[in-house]
Amino acid sequence: MDEDLGDSRLDRGDEEFAADIAGDTDALLEILPHFYRGEVSQANSAQDRIDRTTNWAITLLAALLSLVFSAPAMPAYLLLIAVGALAAFLSYEVRRYRFYDMYRSRVRIVQENVFANALSPEGAEHSRWREELGRDLRYPTFKVSLLEALSRRLRRIYGLLFVVVGVAWVAKVTLFTPERQWTEAAELPGVPGVVVAAALGVVYLAIVALAVWPIDRQAKGEIYGERLGEWKED
């Protein structure tokens, strides 16, 4: 039994067979497209998960808005549930965005240093791109910080959703409950309406601060401005 296991064990040369490809340009170019397609697939899958999270957030928000404004007796605090739900969806999406950026960064480093140089041989963008990519495959790391990912998702999607909830809450406690003072319409059981409004204001100030706070970009950029079709001109 032990002898059979010993015979089937790979020797060191078999385990390191891929190292020979590093010095063989033809062999490297043969496996690189497979790696590239795999990373593109991973990035597309991560993007799909982000889109589904956003869709669920919008669907839930639309349902709560329909419920709150379906009758005057519906309490305004249901919109506070929407704020909490959006925060939860945002936390999921931030994590998924960081995974997406990791795969996208690998795709972009191949595009910048292999495909771009093959089409226009001006030199690689990163002199040690192969070492950097190999190190990242051995020890995967996020390329964008949690704070930047949070700020970007707020600016792109969730900031507008929070604005919709905020405007809807203000409208509910004022325009849609004219028979009561807004402080009465805004209150929670045991919590005065003024306190609720103040707490909500603090939350929105934090959202604005996170969205507009100046952060050095770490996410791997793909678009560097608009050229309006100049690249197609003769």
Side-chain angles (χ1 to χ4, degrees), residues 214-226:
I215 300 173
D216 293 334
R217 182 186 176 97
Q218 296 176 358
K220 188 64 176 175
E222 293 186 18
I223 308 299
Y224 298 95
E226 298 181 5

Side-chain angles (χ1 to χ4, degrees), residues 39-146:
E39 293 302 308
V40 169
S41 177
Q42 292 272 39
N44 288 338
S45 177
Q47 178 68 70
D48 181 64
R49 295 183 69 192
I50 292 174
D51 292 341
R52 279 185 282 147
T53 305
T54 304
N55 290 340
W56 274 109
I58 294 174
T59 300
L60 179 61
L61 176 57
L64 285 173
L65 289 174
S66 299
L67 179 63
V68 168
F69 290 99
S70 62
M74 285 294 176
Y77 65 74
L78 290 176
L79 292 172
L80 302 182
I81 297 176
V83 173
L86 286 179
F89 280 116
L90 176 60
S91 66
Y92 301 148
E93 191 159 316
V94 164
R95 177 172 173 79
R96 292 175 178 181
Y97 176 81
R98 297 182 77 193
F99 274 102
Y100 164 72
D101 182 74
M102 180 179 69
Y103 298 126
R104 179 180 65 175
S105 297
R106 294 174 183 172
V107 170
R108 288 293 295 139
I109 200 170
V110 174
Q111 290 176 343
E112 290 174 331
N113 297 281
V114 180
F115 297 141
N117 205 32
L119 295 171
S120 178
E122 299 175 2
E125 292 291 325
H126 307 281
S127 59
R128 301 178 63 85
W129 68 270
R130 290 175 59 178
E131 290 87 343
E132 292 177 7
L133 185 56
R135 188 182 307 111
D136 191 63
L137 290 176
R138 287 187 172 93
Y139 310 104
T141 57
F142 291 126
K143 310 301 180 297
V144 57
S145 67
L146 179 64

Side-chain angles (χ1 to χ4, degrees), residues 173-234:
V173 300
T174 56
L175 300 177
F176 287 85
T177 54
E179 71 282 358
R180 293 192 293 171
Q181 291 290 331
W182 74 267
T183 53
E184 296 177 359
E187 66 184 13
L188 293 173
V191 183
V194 175
V195 175
V196 174
L200 195 60
V202 170
V203 170
Y204 272 80
L205 284 176
I207 291 172
V208 172
L210 288 171
V212 303
W213 192 268
I215 300 173
D216 293 334
R217 182 186 176 97
Q218 296 176 358
K220 188 64 176 175
E222 293 186 18
I223 308 299
Y224 298 95
E226 298 181 5
R227 299 186 63 181
L228 305 178
E230 293 179 2
W231 67 280
K232 294 183 292 185
E233 295 179 358
D234 294 335

